[in-house]
Amino acid sequence: MELPFAEAWKIKMVEPIRKSTRAEREKWLLEAKNNVFMLKSEQVYIDLLTDSGTGSMSDRQWSAMMLGDESYSGARSFFELKDTITRLTGFRYVIPTHQGRAAENVLFSYLVKEGNIVPGNAHFDTTKGHIESRHAFAIDVTIPEAHDTQHELPFKGNVSLEMTEKILKENPGKVPFFVLTVTNNTVGGQPVSMQNIRETCALCHKYGVPVVMDSARFAENAYFIKTREAGYQDKTIKEIAKEMFSYADCMTMSAKKDGLVNMGGFIATNREEWYEGCKLFCIPFEGFITYGGMNGRDMAALAVGLEENTEFDMLDTRIRQVHYLAQKLDEYGIPYQRPAGGHAIFVDADKVLDRIPKEEFPAQTLTCELYLEAGIRACEIGYILADRDPVTRENRFGGLDFVRLCIPRRVYTNNHMDVIAAALKNVYDRREQITHGVRITKEAPLMRHFTVELERI
Ligand SMILES: *Cc1c(COP(=O)(O)O)cnc(C)c1O
């Protein structure tokens, strides 16, 4: 008999979680104004809000913490981290930052000027924020097929070369760099193929435009290349990752994802002039260049985390778990962005709650229903998050309306996945009775989803 698959780790420390009653959850959700960001974590049974900084560290990472060097400058922990990053990515210059958006802030402060155009395959919201706040434009050039949730493609996060070339041709001198996001988070954690990385970088370089890789989930992307792209089956994750970075000019990293730490980030590049330019912004915003907002112990844990998470078995455990959940949803006929991505399942709420008009925010309604059903906290990645058009102030209903079930690394077992799937099935089975959505009672002018207040209609 073939042995079944099992996790590539065992559990040494546990954190109790508590179920609640439906009556408690109704009270808590009302107090949170139907916004799950406003819930206290103790009010949540299974937390799928994000995979960012919510993973479990290994025993080796915790031991590394004890050896952290907290010297203000020249800390050994910095050099260990830098050497690990150089070995994994090929980039010689490394600037630590307190998280991914801080890396963007430092790099973009140096590179982005008013009126610039920064194309990319679906910029992450903070990336877009850091471009737009500098009065520049972030233009999405993801392949159009990515927006059809039922269309199955192995590399649905790919860049459209035609769209990119058009922008580069029409805007000479106005594009400071291209942002290549791996995996493409915004369209559902979808990978980018090595061929597409190679061709995108070659195209940009032909026009003299450098490429910055937004690398939060670079290891998950390498896993998909190994398992889906011809010619890579026999290569290690480390070899694939190094090849990915070899085409790019720079990387920004949110280490809270594939770095397996709770907080941290960095910039890495081989461009000496960019390194010199970034130093000027790192020191006032983040801290001295050998800690950039991170503790020595956190840099030590990150070095180990990067090493561990570029091993196939660790990634195989993680991605198989996401796909295990997807398989359950398939059994129950629940529609989601296909195929399942690396870190999350994006449930197509418009298709589930098709009786609720867009104006009543189907994905937010489904997020509330899932919490009420079982204390599971998902996240709306839909019309509320899309904010209003800055000019017309109308809601932006043009995109997709997802409920994201984001799976933290090394935190939950497949039994938890069964609970999530069953809870979603229960909501799905009574979807016909959910005929009213939610209405906004208070919202911020920008990034409203974090603090929005809503009432049930
Ligand atoms: C999370 C993320 C960021 C921002 O990183 P933080 O650590 O949350 O500041 C940038 N890009 C991508 C693709 C991300 O997933």
Side-chain angles (χ1 to χ4, degrees):
M1 176 174 181
E2 197 187 332
L3 297 182
F5 180 79
E7 288 78 7
W9 35 257
K10 58 180 178 173
I11 298 166
K12 180 153 15 196
M13 189 184 277
V14 297
E15 177 180 353
I17 49 176
R18 181 183 165 270
K19 287 187 201 174
S20 49
T21 64
R22 178 147 186 136
E24 283 177 320
R25 292 193 292 275
E26 278 175 0
K27 177 172 166 279
W28 293 333
L29 191 61
L30 203 61
E31 285 167 0
K33 307 280 196 318
N34 293 295
N35 176 354
V36 294
F37 279 101
M38 308 292 249
L39 290 168
K40 293 183 180 142
S41 65
E42 305 96 85
Q43 297 167 339
V44 175
Y45 174 42
I46 301 175
D47 204 347
L48 308 181
L49 190 67
T50 175
D51 66 332
S52 179
T54 54
S56 300
M57 292 211 296
S58 67
D59 54 354
R60 277 176 274 173
Q61 286 182 284
W62 280 108
S63 342
M65 297 273 288
M66 298 301 289
L67 300 174
D69 177 357
E70 306 301 340
S71 303
Y72 188 95
S73 78
R76 178 178 27 81
S77 301
F78 167 74
F79 290 104
E80 282 167 5
L81 174 62
K82 176 175 169 291
D83 290 347
T84 303
I85 293 169
T86 303
R87 186 161 36 79
L88 292 174
T89 67
F91 291 129
R92 274 173 292 142
Y93 300 109
V94 174
I95 294 183
T97 60
H98 80 272
Q99 61 185 93
R101 67 199 66 186
E104 291 166 353
N105 186 34
V106 168
L107 183 68
F108 296 6
S109 291
Y110 169 58
L111 289 178
V112 179
K113 305 280 177 293
E114 188 170 338
N116 278 173
I117 290 168
V118 184
N121 53 336
H123 312 67
F124 183 69
D125 51 14
T126 61
T127 318
K128 193 173 180 159
H130 278 301
I131 293 167
E132 291 181 344
S133 67
R134 290 174 171 83
H135 305 287
F137 304 91
I139 301 181
D140 180 15
V141 292
T142 309
I143 52 167
E145 296 91 314
H147 303 289
D148 174 357
T149 62
Q150 300 310 295
H151 188 107
E152 296 242 7
L153 280 177
F155 293 101
K156 214 174 176 178
N158 275 359
V159 173
S160 160
L161 297 172
E162 299 83 81
M163 288 162 77
T164 304
E165 180 144 36
K166 188 163 180 292
I167 291 169
L168 298 178
K169 211 179 253 168
E170 289 173 359
N171 298 283
K174 282 172 79 177
V175 183
F177 55 89
F178 182 99
V179 182
L180 184 52
T181 305
V182 293
T183 56
N184 187 330
N185 183 356
T186 309
V187 303
Q190 299 291 332
V192 180
S193 70
M194 190 70 89
Q195 184 185 343
N196 191 252
I197 292 173
R198 200 184 300 121
E199 290 176 355
T200 300
C201 294
L203 177 65
C204 289
H205 292 155
K206 190 176 110 186
Y207 286 88
V209 170
V211 176
V212 174
M213 210 176 265
D214 181 351
S215 315
R217 298 179 185 81
F218 76 94
E220 290 172 9
N221 200 87
Y223 173 90
F224 285 116
I225 289 174
K226 181 176 169 74
T227 53
R228 292 182 183 173
E229 190 163 349
Y232 288 92
Q233 294 85 313
D234 298 328
K235 293 208 190 301
T236 63
I237 297 292
K238 286 185 168 64
E239 287 166 341
I240 295 170
K242 197 154 188 182
E243 183 181 338
M244 286 164 55
F245 290 118
S246 73
Y247 303 116
D249 301 272
C250 182
M251 69 184 286
T252 53
M253 178 76 187
S254 168
K256 302 170 72 170
K257 285 68 170 250
D258 275 350
L260 295 179
V261 292
N262 303 115
M263 194 56 73
F266 58 86
I267 301 165
T269 183
N270 279 332
R271 298 193 152 215
E272 193 182 350
E273 72 284 12
W274 283 21
Y275 173 65
E276 292 298 327
C278 286
K279 271 160 69 173
L280 301 176
F281 294 98
C282 179
I283 293 170
F285 287 137
E286 293 295 298
F288 187 66
I289 48 169
T290 60
Y291 74 87
M294 291 182 79
N295 294 307
R297 54 181 170 273
D298 291 343
M299 291 191 283
L302 174 55
V304 178
L306 287 168
E307 195 68 64
E308 281 181 0
N309 207 34
T310 45
E311 285 299 321
F312 180 78
D313 287 349
M314 202 55 76
L315 292 158
D316 200 31
T317 296
R318 162 159 184 69
I319 291 172
R320 276 182 192 250
Q321 183 170 55
V322 176
H323 288 230
Y324 174 86
L325 176 59
Q327 222 174 337
K328 289 267 155 192
L329 301 195
D330 285 342
E331 257 173 59
Y332 306 147
I334 301 169
Y336 60 87
Q337 168 73 308
R338 307 186 70 86
H343 68 291
I345 307 283
F346 289 64
V347 178
D348 193 344
D350 247 348
K351 286 201 169 66
V352 175
L353 298 181
D354 57 4
R355 292 158 148 249
I356 297 187
K358 289 178 167 24
E359 291 72 21
E360 295 180 19
F361 305 107
Q364 183 64 25
T365 307
L366 188 57
T367 303
C368 291
E369 288 292 337
L370 185 62
Y371 175 72
L372 292 173
E373 179 68 29
I376 296 164
R377 173 158 67 173
C379 181
E380 193 250 24
I381 304 278
Y383 302 139
I384 293 185
L385 179 119
D387 265 328
R388 290 176 186 274
D389 184 283
V391 180
T392 65
R393 300 308 297 160
E394 291 296 321
N395 281 303
R396 290 195 270 209
F397 289 125
L400 294 161
D401 200 33
F402 288 129
V403 173
R404 185 181 72 175
L405 309 171
C406 202
I407 313 298
R409 294 166 184 78
R410 309 193 289 205
V411 171
Y412 295 115
T413 68
N414 283 4
N415 290 330
H416 294 105
M417 300 302 121
D418 289 340
V419 174
I420 298 158
L424 200 58
K425 178 184 189 304
N426 290 346
V427 176
Y428 188 65
D429 287 349
R430 58 179 167 77
R431 65 190 181 280
E432 305 278 290
Q433 290 135 41
I434 306 170
T435 51
H436 294 290
V438 291
R439 177 190 300 130
I440 294 177
T441 55
K442 192 173 169 196
E443 65 183 294
L446 203 70
M447 297 207 138
R448 62 180 178 181
H449 56 290
F450 290 115
T451 54
V452 69
E453 297 184 5
L454 303 141
E455 64 185 12
R456 301 298 297 259
I457 298 171

